[in-house]
Amino acid sequence: MNKINVVGLGNILFGDEGFGVETVRALEASGDWPEHVQFVDGGTQGLYLLDYFESCDALMVFDSIIPTEFEPKVYLYRKEELPAFIHRKMSAHQMGLSELLAVARLHGREPSEIVLIGAPPHDLGLGNGLSEPMRGHLARAVEMGSEVLREWLEQ
């Protein structure tokens, strides 16, 4: 892989909504990654993240986008497995993951490899930080992300 972007999505002010951002920070700190692996605190930037989606060969996204009715564990989806629920957004003005991927596809710049790693949120309270269950999921998400990154780096 020539260029790999690892993007964490979410709002750290709303409890488990910050899971993606916290996971990217932990993954970056977990190893000595090559220069062509870029870690991005995507927060809630929406459309401003489009270049990170279009400028890489492989894209890894972390988010707490998994629906709350799912079993509380970490999920990993590859490009062809991305579920329909990524169309859900927290607000009407937010450009979601699915829209960013669709625009990249329309531009003919969709990454050849895409992975989404996430877990269902438990607590979205203002200023609460990650809940205890999500802190537990964070370690598993970092492990899964590391495995995928190593796989991509060997290609």
Side-chain angles (χ1 to χ4, degrees):
M1 293 286 154
N2 293 329
K3 185 172 183 187
I4 300 170
N5 286 341
V6 182
V7 180
L9 300 178
N11 187 336
I12 61 171
L13 298 177
F14 289 102
D16 293 341
E17 170 65 16
F19 177 76
V21 172
E22 297 295 345
T23 305
V24 165
R25 291 174 180 170
L27 178 58
E28 182 177 18
S30 74
D32 186 23
W33 303 104
E35 193 174 290
H36 66 280
V37 178
Q38 182 174 11
F39 295 87
V40 180
D41 174 347
T44 58
Q45 295 180 55
L47 186 58
Y48 295 108
L49 295 171
L50 185 60
D51 186 55
Y52 294 111
F53 280 57
E54 293 184 338
S55 67
C56 60
D57 302 299
L59 173 69
M60 182 179 300
V61 177
F62 290 93
D63 199 357
S64 63
I65 197 168
I66 310 303
T68 56
E69 61 269 13
F70 274 45
E71 181 182 342
K73 66 177 190 174
V74 181
Y75 292 84
L76 184 149
Y77 297 100
R78 294 190 182 264
K79 183 177 183 175
E80 61 280 355
E81 304 167 328
L82 287 174
F85 67 72
I86 67 170
H87 295 283
R88 291 161 61 164
K89 295 180 282 298
M90 296 296 282
S91 66
H93 59 82
Q94 176 186 353
M95 176 168 259
L97 175 59
S98 61
E99 287 88 358
L100 287 166
L101 292 172
V103 171
R105 191 175 309 114
L106 283 171
H107 289 166
R109 299 180 71 192
E110 183 181 39
S112 59
E113 298 281 350
I114 300 172
V115 165
L116 168 65
I117 299 175
H122 297 274
D123 180 0
L124 297 174
L126 179 62
N128 290 346
L130 292 182
S131 65
E132 191 61 39
M134 286 302 263
R135 281 195 292 271
H137 292 328
L138 190 140
R140 178 67 181 130
V142 167
E143 180 183 316
M144 293 167 97
S146 293
E147 290 172 9
V148 172
L149 277 179
R150 283 192 215 94
E151 172 191 315
W152 286 347
L153 291 169
E154 290 174 4
Q155 292 181 2

